[in-house]
Amino acid sequence: MAEEWLGMEAAVSASEGEDEGQEDGERRHQQLLQAVSDLSGRKRRKLAERTEASVQVSEFNVSCKGTGEKLVLSELLQPIRPKSTLSSVKKELTRVKQKKAVELPLSKEEAKRVVREAAYVRTSKDVGKWQQVVLQNRRAEQLVFPLKQEIATVVPLEQVVSAWKARTPLEQEIFGLLHKTQQPVTDPLLTPEETASLQAMSLEEARQRRAELQKARVVQSYYEAKARREKKIKSKKYHRVLKKSKRRKALKEFELLHKSDPEAALARLEELEQLRMQERMSLKHQNKGKWARSKAIMAKYDLEARKAMQEQLAKNKELMQKVQVELPEDEPGDVPEEDLTSVTIPVGARGANPWMLGKPSGPVEEPEVQEGLGDIAVPDAAETEEEMSEEEALLQDFAQKRNVRQQRAGSPEGPGADETEAVSELPGDSPIHPICAEEEQASMRLKQPPQAQEDILLSEQLRRVQSMEDVDALASEEHVEEQEKPMAARSEKPMATRAKKQVQQQEEGRAGNGCAKKPPAKKKIISLQAVLAGKPQEVQCPSLPMVMEDEEGGSDQRGVITEAFAGDDVVADFRREKRKAEQATKPQPVNLVLPGWGEWGGTGLKPSTKKTKRFMLKPPPAPPRKDQHLPHVIMSEKRNIHAAAHQVSELPFPFERHQQFEQSIQTPLGPTWNTQRAFQKLTAPRVVTRAGHIIQPISAEDVPNTATEAGSGAKPALEIVPKRQEQPLRHPHRKAR
Amino acid sequence: MRVKVLSRNPDDYVRETKLDLQRVPRNYDPVLHPFEVPREYTRAMNATKLERLFAKPFLSSLDGHRDGVNCMAKHPKSLSTVLSGACDGEVKIWNLAKRQCIRTIQAHEGFVRGMCARFCGTSFFTVGDDKTVKQWKMESPEYGEEEEPIHTILGKTVYTGIDHHWKEAVFATCGHQVDIWDEQRTSPMCSLTWGFDSISSVKFNPIETYLLGSCASDRNIVLYDMRKSTPLKKVILNMRTNTLCWNPMEAFIFTAANEDYNLYTFDMRYLESPVMVHMDHVSAVLDVDYSPTGKEFVSASFDKSVRIFPVDKGHSREVYHTKRMQHVITVKWTSDNKYILCGSDEMNIRLWKANASEKLGVLAPREKAAMNYNQKLKEKFQYHPKIRRIAQHRHLPKSIFGQIKEQRIMREARRRKELNRRKHSKPGSVPFVSERKKHIVAVVK
């Protein structure tokens, strides 16, 4: 209102300025009224104003007030031209002449029809923009529904709860309780206390804390980056140096600690021990993990892996080492004894357990044995030592026995009694001894040969003869051995020296038979083994190995086959079969002869030839066979009715040629004939839907191209169709898949 | 001598854990796998037989209505909810997962003629014989609240059908005219008329949402454009169309369920002849609903059966019936493409599997692969007579079977008569009329 007043005053003052001095007060008053009326907005009807003509027109003075132009004197001097009044009428007349009669308005029905037609054309055009999409979807190999894959969104609990109100008495009661205890109801995340505590934290503090956190995070990230960088360094030397420096540092620290605070150092030691125990318990270095196994496989080829493997093994060994438990000194009673026993037992068992023997007991006999070995290479392994010690033990036994016997021989008892005694005595001795006890004992003699033979047989199978010469040698050796056997049975010698003997015998045999061509290396190996085994080892094969050459077998394949199928003549068989088939397909004459008609009938009576001739119907000859000129082919022209029932009789609809159809049938789909991937592709279903998903009708957003183009307006949507035809679309739903 | 030894690396065939699949080395050399066609044929035959063996489509029956079920509506957001209206004015809301009725409303006096859910799923509309349109909340009333509609509109005439717009707060009713309503107003935004007759059904196009289709009892189908508020075109068929349904994936395709036992699929741009005539029913087709994939539709008929048709095939691929099911009045295909619901005269709503032999529940990957393979095999060998015979065999109730036979004879007689007439009249005077054109009387612009 105030503004209006101001405006009005301004208008008043303006009017004052304009016609200052010319108008009188009445006019002013009029203008004021005008301004006021303008304010009201509505146009007020102007009251007719009467003015006196004398003001404008006077006989003395010509004034041009009211007209916009200036009056020029020349105009006044010109004659007045007569102006025809008919011109306007003329114009009217011409206009009337030009105008035609207005057509009658369309009937209501027709008008509506026009509108409908126009609307129909437009709508069908609008709808036609879906044409391409529809065609594509119809042709699509696979459609996945719903077209728009929605992402499930979880509505926050507060939103759900806020809309909900307690209505039943039970609910109200529960809510009353909750309210009483100030439990959160609508916003279940924070209790009032929590919110209060949250509020208690001032902005400054929060900022400070945030800055701190930020800094810490930055530092952490720096360190992480650094560590990553260092970890990436491939140089081994660098890592070695690093490790070493670390170790040194740790040691130094520990020493310092030891000096400054021995207790803490002890604690640290214990801690280390604890760590070690944990490591031991963790079964980490058991070589059973995936890594270890993979390394074990790789170790053969990869040096690195081998190294890692060795490290791992070393670690394992280290961990597995028994920790020396330092026993406290207050209980020395039992332990030393145990120690003693543990030490003494091996001494006692030395004879029985060859693994416990450290050195040969009798150094005196060694040279003799070596002498006995003759030209054999000097055995260096521990095994030989053990065997030697065994032999020595045996020798010692023999010596003892001999002494005993000599003592007994001094006694008046006869040799028979002696023998029986010896036999009875034998089982009491160590099990090895009786075998080679005494040459004089007959029972002993009877026992020995079978065992020896067994040994020979066993050892025989261990060697393989590799050349023809060897085979020859073997044969001869066998022969020699056969000769030897009785001799061995006859010659009574101790077991201990038998090996040596056999070697000698072999040498003799070789010399005797004149098989000097044998390579000396072979000889050496054989003799060495014989010695090392400690048992009689004859390098002889009982049977001759079959010798076959590969090439022969390969080249003779055809020959073998011909040989194998020598008996049957396939070609003739086939020819016979074909003849049979031909016979079978030939039309057979139909016999319509009825015996007994027109003549005598009965058993043993044949219808007359005249009759048979008359009633035998000869069918027309069959058309020529298709395989007439194909000697190796039988073509059956019989149609299989049983198969026909399963066959398609006419070309089904979508196919245009029978080849197409046959092709479609002959392409197998199954996994037996196709790879997994191809199988999946071939059997992909046409329509895929997801359980529990609502499939909405298609919309412009589902079709990416139309969505963008239709979004710009209704008009361009109509222009889509030609555009699409130009560039074939991608499959619209591939994306969704 | 060289001895050849088989040597195998255990890494090639030993599993790392017992949970791994056994590695099966395969040789795809076709020589090693002969007879692929006969073997696949056998497999296809077995698959077909198994399919028939497992075809047990009937899942359950929802009973509770006290009169015939006249209309149904799907919930747009929840798969397990379905609404049904009965001939006594009762509306029931069902939970399909539990197969229970969760809410019952006495909505109208007399029939519930039509119902539809709002696109957001918060409310639904019903129209009844009592000349009212009512809007109801989808959620059951709170404790102490009374069961009453949100809005009630009292009209001048009986409304026979209703459908809601797919995106906006607009719905359409039909009766003597097609009315388009704003949800907030009590009078229609516009009324669309083209002649005067009782319109039995009106449906919004789900894709181009401004389009409407309606069918009236004077045998015509009329299309409307809501933007111009004008009808577009009218096609007159031989007999009256009961309902129509738009294809949810193809904007210009709709299918009409006709009294002459057939269904007609039209392209709205070329109404002169239908794209496909679907024949198989032996009585009036009362309702039709598209599968959400737009590849098939289901139809309910007065002949007490429900049939499933592929959109591009003239004959049905499946027929569902039970001894107790009477005239099927309404049918719906659930929006996950898995089930079919049909409401029938004898007060029951039946739940069927859309794919009769489908295994319900989660499938193991191998099961799924086998299923896909079997499906492809069946497709590949579908033209072979033995397989086709098994695949197409359906048991039908005697009434339908007899009717089919009878109609076949009638059709044959008609054909023969036409042939004879053609033979005995001047050439060209009895023209050939294709099956598609035969049923169209006129197209009115």
Side-chain angles (χ1 to χ4, degrees):
Chain A
M1 280 301 279
E3 279 175 4
E4 281 176 21
W5 275 112
L6 278 173
M8 193 184 71
E9 276 174 7
V12 170
S13 64
S15 63
E16 266 179 3
E18 237 175 64
D19 37 10
E20 194 185 347
Q22 288 178 7
E23 313 297 327
D24 45 18
E26 209 153 300
R27 195 144 263 230
R28 276 187 190 175
H29 180 69
Q30 275 296 327
Q31 275 178 345
L32 183 66
L33 279 178
Q34 180 101 26
V36 169
S37 68
D38 280 349
L39 274 176
S40 72
R42 232 179 296 150
K43 265 202 170 174
R44 226 177 248 180
R45 230 188 313 144
K46 262 188 186 172
L47 289 171
E49 193 178 338
R50 189 169 289 181
T51 50
E52 274 178 61
S54 62
V55 179
Q56 277 128 31
V57 185
S58 74
E59 49 194 312
F60 309 110
N61 190 13
V62 180
S63 88
C64 53
K65 193 171 173 123
T67 61
E69 339 145 350
K70 255 187 175 175
L71 191 69
V72 186
L73 193 66
S74 57
E75 275 180 18
L76 294 175
L77 292 176
Q78 271 172 0
I80 296 162
R81 222 177 261 158
K83 208 177 177 184
S84 78
T85 49
L86 284 176
S87 67
S88 62
V89 178
K90 255 186 201 168
K91 266 185 193 170
E92 282 285 305
L93 265 174
T94 50
R95 223 191 307 157
V96 165
K97 264 181 196 168
Q98 275 170 2
K99 238 184 194 175
K100 286 171 197 165
V102 175
E103 281 178 25
L104 269 176
L106 277 177
S107 72
K108 204 177 167 191
E109 283 302 308
E110 290 216 318
K112 272 188 179 174
R113 189 183 153 186
V114 168
V115 170
R116 278 198 304 258
E117 266 181 55
Y120 178 70
V121 168
R122 199 193 153 193
T123 330
S124 47
K125 246 187 185 177
D126 277 3
V127 169
K129 78 183 177 195
W130 288 97
Q131 176 73 20
Q132 285 299 314
V133 179
V134 166
L135 284 183
Q136 264 166 359
N137 282 356
R138 280 182 192 166
R139 272 190 244 119
E141 289 288 309
Q142 189 175 45
L143 283 176
V144 181
F145 294 103
L147 299 171
K148 205 169 17 185
Q149 304 292 338
E150 276 173 27
I151 303 152
T153 49
V154 181
V155 183
L157 192 64
E158 294 90 65
Q159 278 186 25
V160 179
V161 172
S162 60
W164 189 77
K165 277 175 192 169
R167 283 173 201 272
T168 59
L170 178 67
E171 283 167 0
Q172 277 165 353
E173 204 175 320
I174 290 169
F175 270 76
L177 274 175
L178 286 176
H179 281 300
K180 236 181 251 172
T181 52
Q182 286 195 322
Q183 287 298 315
V185 178
T186 50
D187 184 4
L189 292 178
L190 296 173
T191 55
E193 287 85 37
E194 281 168 342
T195 47
S197 68
L198 269 181
Q199 279 166 356
M201 202 183 218
S202 70
L203 187 65
E204 278 293 296
E205 263 177 80
R207 265 192 195 146
Q208 212 175 332
R209 173 128 185 80
R210 187 157 158 263
E212 274 169 21
L213 278 174
Q214 230 165 9
K215 201 175 177 187
R217 236 176 285 136
V218 165
V219 168
Q220 190 188 353
S221 76
Y222 284 160
Y223 272 106
E224 271 172 6
K226 197 183 169 193
R228 225 173 283 137
R229 211 167 47 235
E230 279 175 356
K231 203 182 154 195
K232 256 190 192 167
I233 294 172
K234 279 181 182 166
S235 159
K236 289 206 181 108
K237 196 174 176 187
Y238 168 79
H239 281 290
R240 216 181 305 139
V241 170
L242 196 74
K243 222 184 262 177
K244 211 179 235 175
S245 70
K246 265 185 194 166
R247 212 180 302 144
R248 216 174 291 144
K249 210 177 187 180
L251 260 178
K252 212 174 256 175
E253 269 176 21
F254 184 71
E255 269 174 25
L256 272 177
L257 202 70
H258 192 69
K259 272 179 196 165
S260 60
D261 190 359
E263 269 180 29
L266 215 64
R268 181 142 177 79
L269 254 182
E270 235 161 65
E271 206 174 273
L272 279 175
E273 181 60 17
Q274 200 75 22
L275 270 179
R276 193 201 66 82
M277 277 158 79
Q278 270 176 359
E279 183 78 10
R280 170 75 184 87
M281 299 253 290
S282 71
L283 302 177
K284 248 183 201 168
H285 304 283
Q286 292 287 311
N287 298 326
K288 278 172 192 164
K290 211 174 185 180
W291 177 85
R293 268 187 290 157
S294 73
K295 284 288 169 208
I297 290 169
M298 289 299 292
K300 214 186 282 178
Y301 316 106
D302 193 2
L303 205 71
E304 295 263 311
R306 208 177 304 162
K307 239 178 222 172
M309 188 74 191
Q310 274 164 358
E311 257 171 49
Q312 165 91 348
L313 281 172
K315 182 90 184 170
N316 182 25
K317 211 171 242 179
E318 190 189 310
L319 283 169
M320 292 290 276
Q321 252 176 9
K322 213 167 191 184
V323 182
Q324 285 291 320
V325 184
E326 292 166 10
L327 283 154
E329 291 168 0
D330 8 352
E331 33 181 28
D334 292 333
V335 181
E337 259 182 46
E338 275 176 11
D339 278 356
L340 258 177
T341 50
S342 68
V343 173
T344 48
I345 284 166
V347 174
R350 192 168 260 185
N353 189 357
W355 300 105
M356 299 307 283
L357 292 169
K359 282 175 187 174
S361 51
V364 193
E365 279 108 26
E366 217 174 82
E368 192 201 324
V369 173
Q370 279 194 339
E371 262 179 24
L373 288 173
D375 61 339
I376 304 161
V378 184
D380 50 303
E383 270 182 71
T384 48
E385 280 185 359
E386 284 153 24
E387 268 145 32
M388 302 245 281
S389 64
E390 258 186 308
E391 283 162 18
E392 283 153 16
L394 286 176
L395 284 174
Q396 280 180 349
D397 278 342
F398 290 147
Q400 281 177 359
K401 293 261 169 77
R402 212 172 288 143
N403 288 340
V404 171
R405 224 184 304 134
Q406 276 167 3
Q407 283 169 6
R408 273 182 203 164
S411 67
E413 283 167 24
D418 184 14
E419 271 175 18
T420 49
E421 254 193 22
V423 172
S424 62
E425 211 182 359
L426 281 170
D429 277 316
S430 64
I432 316 163
H433 299 165
I435 305 166
C436 41
E438 284 285 319
E439 314 141 84
E440 291 97 336
Q441 289 173 10
S443 61
M444 202 48 241
R445 240 181 280 141
L446 284 170
K447 257 187 196 170
Q448 195 188 338
Q451 163 119 31
Q453 273 189 337
E454 209 178 84
D455 279 356
I456 288 160
L457 272 175
L458 283 172
S459 57
E460 267 172 355
Q461 293 163 348
L462 286 172
R463 273 209 67 75
R464 180 177 288 165
V465 179
Q466 287 180 331
S467 68
M468 288 300 283
E469 290 167 0
D470 286 347
V471 175
D472 286 350
L474 263 175
S476 65
E477 264 177 59
E478 241 180 1
H479 189 67
V480 169
E481 204 193 22
E482 273 169 7
Q483 288 175 342
E484 275 176 7
K485 262 181 187 171
M487 268 169 58
R490 258 174 271 138
S491 65
E492 292 121 4
K493 282 166 189 173
M495 267 292 277
T497 53
R498 216 169 45 170
K500 172 173 71 181
K501 251 227 172 120
Q502 265 177 349
V503 174
Q504 282 169 353
Q505 273 173 0
Q506 271 186 352
E507 277 172 344
E508 277 170 12
R510 250 176 261 136
N513 289 359
C515 305
K517 285 170 195 170
K518 256 194 173 180
K522 283 268 152 81
K523 257 190 268 172
K524 233 179 193 174
I525 292 166
I526 290 162
S527 56
L528 187 71
Q529 277 201 341
V531 172
L532 289 181
K535 285 170 192 170
Q537 268 197 340
E538 316 255 315
V539 189
Q540 292 155 346
C541 271
S543 58
L544 287 164
M546 294 228 304
V547 179
M548 265 176 60
E549 280 174 21
D550 261 9
E551 294 115 42
E552 254 182 53
S555 64
D556 274 1
Q557 190 80 15
R558 188 171 279 257
V560 167
I561 287 169
T562 49
E563 201 179 341
F565 294 100
D568 17 328
D569 186 357
V570 187
V571 179
D573 279 354
F574 181 78
R575 233 176 269 147
R576 216 170 298 137
E577 211 174 299
K578 185 167 179 181
R579 212 173 304 138
K580 225 184 254 175
E582 276 171 12
Q583 286 295 330
T585 50
K586 257 185 194 166
Q588 300 295 324
V590 184
N591 188 3
L592 294 175
V593 177
L594 285 171
W597 283 88
E599 59 189 9
W600 287 106
T603 49
L605 286 175
K606 273 188 179 174
S608 64
T609 45
K610 192 184 158 197
K611 199 176 175 185
T612 44
K613 243 186 204 173
R614 174 137 168 42
F615 289 104
M616 275 290 247
L617 298 186
K618 251 193 183 173
R625 284 178 67 85
K626 276 185 184 170
D627 54 1
Q628 220 174 6
H629 305 296
L630 301 168
H632 302 302
V633 182
I634 301 174
M635 282 165 79
S636 170
E637 285 174 43
K638 250 195 286 177
R639 185 164 179 255
N640 190 351
I641 304 163
H642 299 292
H646 290 272
Q647 282 165 348
V648 181
S649 53
E650 55 187 27
L651 193 64
F653 159 60
F655 300 99
E656 283 165 353
R657 295 152 168 276
H658 70 91
Q659 285 95 336
Q660 281 178 1
F661 180 62
E662 275 164 17
Q663 192 66 37
S664 82
I665 292 296
Q666 262 157 14
T667 345
L669 298 170
T672 324
W673 299 277
N674 295 301
T675 57
Q676 187 61 25
R677 187 61 57 81
F679 170 66
Q680 276 171 1
K681 264 188 191 167
L682 283 171
T683 59
R686 296 294 295 274
V687 173
V688 177
T689 55
R690 300 170 73 198
H693 283 250
I694 292 174
I695 303 169
Q696 298 287 2
I698 197 170
S699 62
E701 296 100 60
D702 295 336
V703 193
N705 288 32
T706 45
T708 51
E709 279 165 296
S712 55
K715 256 196 170 178
L718 301 180
E719 294 163 5
I720 290 167
V721 182
K723 263 188 199 171
R724 282 236 201 81
Q725 282 163 351
E726 278 167 22
Q727 42 175 14
L729 276 177
R730 267 185 294 112
H731 189 269
H733 306 299
R734 281 281 153 79
K735 260 190 175 174
R737 222 187 292 168
Chain B
M1 191 183 114
R2 213 166 70 211
V3 179
K4 286 180 182 169
V5 180
L6 284 178
S7 103
R8 295 201 175 105
N9 186 2
D11 290 348
D12 291 339
Y13 57 88
V14 174
R15 301 182 287 178
E16 281 195 356
T17 68
K18 67 173 182 182
L19 299 176
D20 287 352
L21 285 178
Q22 290 281 15
R23 194 179 292 172
V24 186
R26 295 210 50 104
N27 190 347
Y28 291 105
D29 184 2
V31 176
L32 299 177
H33 308 287
F35 302 122
E36 53 258 30
V37 179
R39 282 165 81 187
E40 290 225 308
Y41 177 76
T42 316
R43 287 181 195 177
M45 178 74 90
N46 288 340
T48 316
K49 284 178 182 172
L50 282 181
E51 186 214 308
R52 287 292 85 216
L53 204 68
F54 289 125
K56 302 263 186 282
F58 180 67
L59 288 177
S60 75
S61 159
L62 309 174
D63 55 341
H65 273 300
R66 283 170 291 180
D67 207 335
V69 181
N70 197 41
C71 54
M72 283 197 290
K74 290 182 274 190
H75 193 290
K77 298 285 170 191
S78 153
L79 279 173
S80 61
T81 313
V82 73
L83 305 97
S84 67
C87 295
D88 59 351
E90 200 175 54
V91 167
K92 275 181 184 283
I93 301 178
W94 304 88
N95 186 334
L96 289 182
K98 292 182 191 163
R99 288 154 201 192
Q100 272 177 355
C101 175
I102 46 176
R103 199 172 150 208
T104 308
I105 310 162
Q106 185 59 45
H108 293 279
E109 287 165 26
F111 280 45
V112 180
R113 285 288 173 188
M115 63 196 311
C116 66
R118 200 169 184 272
F119 60 91
C120 59
T122 51
S123 63
F124 65 93
F125 296 84
T126 57
V127 290
D129 269 354
D130 52 2
K131 301 180 188 175
T132 51
V133 181
K134 289 182 181 174
Q135 186 184 8
W136 306 83
K137 251 200 235 171
M138 193 63 87
E139 284 172 12
S140 46
E142 305 284 353
Y143 178 79
E145 233 179 79
E146 262 186 59
E147 186 85 88
E148 56 186 12
I150 307 171
H151 298 297
T152 307
I153 301 166
L154 188 63
K156 283 169 195 156
T157 54
V158 176
Y159 299 108
T160 52
I162 186 168
D163 195 25
H164 201 281
H165 194 278
W166 286 80
K167 276 166 191 161
E168 289 162 26
V170 170
F171 65 90
T173 59
C174 61
H176 284 293
Q177 62 203 14
V178 172
D179 291 326
I180 294 171
W181 306 73
D182 192 321
E183 273 179 20
Q184 305 302 322
R185 298 194 190 165
T186 52
S187 57
M189 286 203 305
C190 65
S191 298
L192 305 163
T193 49
W194 191 348
F196 290 93
D197 214 322
S198 65
I199 295 162
S200 57
S201 150
V202 63
K203 288 280 163 69
F204 273 102
N205 188 324
I207 306 166
E208 295 295 337
T209 45
Y210 51 82
L211 265 176
L212 285 148
S214 79
C215 43
S217 57
D218 61 350
R219 308 178 300 164
N220 59 24
I221 300 169
V222 187
L223 301 178
Y224 306 92
D225 190 338
M226 205 180 76
R227 299 175 296 183
K228 287 278 179 80
S229 62
T230 164
L232 297 174
K233 216 167 200 183
K234 179 199 266 185
V235 55
I236 303 173
L237 296 165
N238 262 341
M239 285 177 91
R240 177 183 115 106
T241 300
N242 285 317
T243 353
L244 58 82
C245 184
W246 292 92
N247 190 327
M249 290 292 153
E250 300 174 1
F252 39 78
I253 300 286
F254 67 90
T255 298
N258 205 284
E259 281 282 305
D260 64 356
Y261 316 167
N262 294 338
L263 291 120
Y264 300 98
T265 298
F266 282 97
D267 186 332
M268 69 153 277
R269 297 168 300 170
Y270 316 105
L271 288 172
E272 288 73 25
S273 78
V275 179
M276 188 59 79
V277 182
H278 310 271
M279 340 168 79
D280 258 352
H281 279 298
V282 288
S283 194
V285 190
L286 299 182
D287 198 9
V288 58
D289 192 33
Y290 260 94
S291 85
T293 59
K295 300 273 175 203
E296 289 173 326
F297 60 81
V298 61
S299 65
S301 166
F302 197 74
D303 63 6
K304 307 175 187 175
S305 70
V306 171
R307 280 183 188 267
I308 301 173
F309 291 86
V311 176
D312 51 351
K313 295 270 158 54
H315 289 276
S316 61
R317 73 157 173 86
E318 197 68 73
V319 54
Y320 293 159
H321 56 85
T322 65
K323 259 184 188 170
R324 297 182 180 191
M325 190 161 72
Q326 295 303 309
H327 314 301
V328 192
I329 295 170
T330 171
V331 72
K332 286 275 179 257
W333 198 310
T334 57
S335 15
D336 60 347
N337 196 32
K338 285 251 169 185
Y339 306 101
I340 285 167
L341 288 155
C342 68
S344 48
D345 244 1
E346 88 309 331
M347 308 179 248
N348 280 322
I349 296 168
R350 290 193 165 75
L351 183 64
W352 308 84
K353 282 191 268 186
N355 188 1
S357 60
E358 191 185 24
K359 189 185 171 192
L360 295 180
V362 182
L363 291 181
R366 290 177 64 187
E367 246 178 323
K368 211 179 273 174
M371 201 188 67
N372 289 344
Y373 179 40
N374 281 346
Q375 191 57 43
K376 276 283 139 120
L377 280 180
K378 277 183 265 171
E379 253 169 53
K380 182 180 163 186
F381 289 100
Q382 62 186 333
Y383 306 109
H384 287 68
K386 291 260 166 174
I387 287 179
R388 194 173 51 199
R389 190 186 70 79
I390 297 168
Q392 291 189 345
H393 179 80
R394 295 285 182 282
H395 171 254
L396 285 173
K398 206 174 175 187
S399 59
I400 297 179
F401 190 72
Q403 277 280 315
I404 287 175
K405 247 207 272 184
E406 203 179 302
Q407 282 175 18
R408 197 183 300 137
I409 292 165
M410 283 158 69
R411 206 161 35 240
E412 183 54 33
R414 244 177 273 142
R415 196 185 67 84
R416 206 172 53 237
K417 183 168 187 182
E418 199 189 319
L419 241 161
N420 287 339
R421 185 170 284 163
R422 190 168 292 130
K423 218 178 353 183
H424 294 291
S425 52
K426 193 177 142 196
S429 60
V430 184
F432 289 96
V433 183
S434 71
E435 185 66 35
R436 289 179 192 174
K437 296 233 165 126
K438 218 181 267 179
H439 306 279
I440 306 289
V441 173
V443 178
V444 185
K445 282 181 184 173

